[in-house]
Amino acid sequence: MNYIAKTIALNRRQYLEHRQVYGLLATAIACLLFLLFFITWHWRESFSGGVGNGIFLIGLFGGGAAFSAFLYQELRHPAKTIWLLGIIASAGQKIVLWILYAVFLYGAAYTVIFYLVETLFFSIATGPQSTMMKANVFRNGFYSFYLVFVNFQLWLLVGSLAFRKGALIKTLLLMVLYFIIAATGNVVLMKVMTGENSITSSLPFNYFQFIHDGENIYVYLPASIQALINVSYNFLLPLFLSYIAYLKFTEKEI
C-alpha cells in the first residue's frame, strides 16, 4: 500500500509540475478543431457527408501522438522535472499509467473537447448542411476507431522505447510504410493466388475488391474468421505490445 501511495504521490507531482502543458495542449486541440470546422464549413460545398467524423479522427490520432510525445520525452533526454514515465515505479505500474493517460484519459478528454467545440461552432454557424457535417462517433460502428487508437498509442510507446532519436517520426513512418506495403502486397498476393488481374484494392485481413462488368465487387472473409481476426487485433495485439513495452521498461529499471 505504501508503494501504491508513493506512486500516486509522484504521479500527482508530475501533474502539478506540468498541468500548464496539459492545459495548453487541450487549448491547442480545441483551437485546431475549431479551425478545421471553420475551413470545412467555409468550403462546405466541396465536401460530402462524414466531414465531422474525419475531423474527429484527425484530432484523435494527431493529438494523441502529440500527447504521447510529451509523456515519454524524458526517455530521450535528461528531464529537469519529473514526467509520467520518469516516476519511481515498477515497469508494470508505468504501463498501467501509460494506458490510463495516453489511452483512456486522453480519449475521454478529447471526445468531450470535440463535442464542446462542435456544439459551439454549430451554434454560431447554422445552415442546411450543419446536420450532415456533424460527427456520429457512436453510430454505425465508427466507435471501433477507439480500438485502433489503443494499438496506435501502444505502437508509439514501443517505438519511443526502441529508438533513441526521432522516435515519434520514425515510428509514424514505419507505421505508414507497413500499411502501404501490406495493402499493396495483399493485392499482388491475391492476383497471384486467384489469377484475377482486375483486383484493384484490398485491406489486409478484411476484404479485396475486383471489377466485374464495370462494377466493383467486394469479397470479405467468412464471419467466423473475421471475428477471430478482430479479437486478435483488438485484444491480443494490445496485450502483446504492452508486454514488449514492459520488457523494455524492465531493462531500464534500477
Side-chain angles (χ1 to χ4, degrees), residues 98-254:
W98 168 269
I99 295 175
L100 177 64
Y101 270 75
V103 177
F104 292 105
L105 290 183
Y106 177 82
Y110 172 75
T111 303
V112 172
I113 292 173
F114 176 85
Y115 275 109
L116 288 176
V117 172
E118 184 188 61
T119 301
L120 175 62
F121 181 84
F122 285 110
S123 67
I124 300 173
T126 58
Q129 286 186 301
S130 60
T131 302
M132 181 183 67
M133 295 184 66
K134 288 183 179 179
N136 294 314
V137 176
F138 300 103
R139 294 181 181 178
N140 300 323
F142 186 79
Y143 50 83
S144 62
F145 277 101
Y146 280 113
L147 297 176
V148 179
F149 178 68
V150 174
N151 284 327
F152 176 77
Q153 293 293 74
L154 287 171
W155 274 119
L156 291 181
L157 174 59
V158 172
S160 71
L161 296 168
F163 298 112
R164 292 187 177 182
K165 295 182 179 179
L168 177 61
I169 301 300
K170 289 179 180 178
T171 307
L172 289 176
L173 287 176
L174 284 176
M175 292 170 68
V176 172
L177 182 62
Y178 163 76
F179 183 80
I180 293 174
I181 292 177
T184 305
N186 197 50
V187 171
V188 174
L189 179 62
M190 294 305 300
K191 286 183 178 181
V192 173
M193 292 176 61
T194 62
E196 180 59 64
N197 292 323
S198 64
I199 296 176
T200 55
S201 66
S202 69
L203 187 64
F205 308 113
N206 193 309
Y207 74 89
F208 69 92
Q209 170 191 301
F210 67 95
I211 300 176
H212 180 70
D213 291 336
E215 297 289 336
N216 292 330
I217 308 298
Y218 292 88
V219 179
Y220 292 89
L221 291 170
S224 58
I225 297 178
Q226 188 62 61
L228 181 61
I229 292 174
N230 290 337
V231 170
S232 300
Y233 180 79
N234 294 325
F235 299 101
L236 297 183
L237 180 58
L239 291 176
F240 176 72
L241 294 175
S242 299
Y243 182 66
I244 293 177
Y246 169 79
L247 294 178
K248 287 291 184 180
F249 274 128
T250 303
E251 293 177 0
K252 298 177 180 293
E253 283 187 317
I254 301 176

Side-chain angles (χ1 to χ4, degrees), residues 44-67:
R44 56 188 177 276
E45 300 299 332
S46 302
F47 294 95
S48 58
V51 176
N53 288 28
I55 294 175
F56 179 86
L57 291 180
I58 292 174
L60 180 65
F61 288 91
F67 185 60

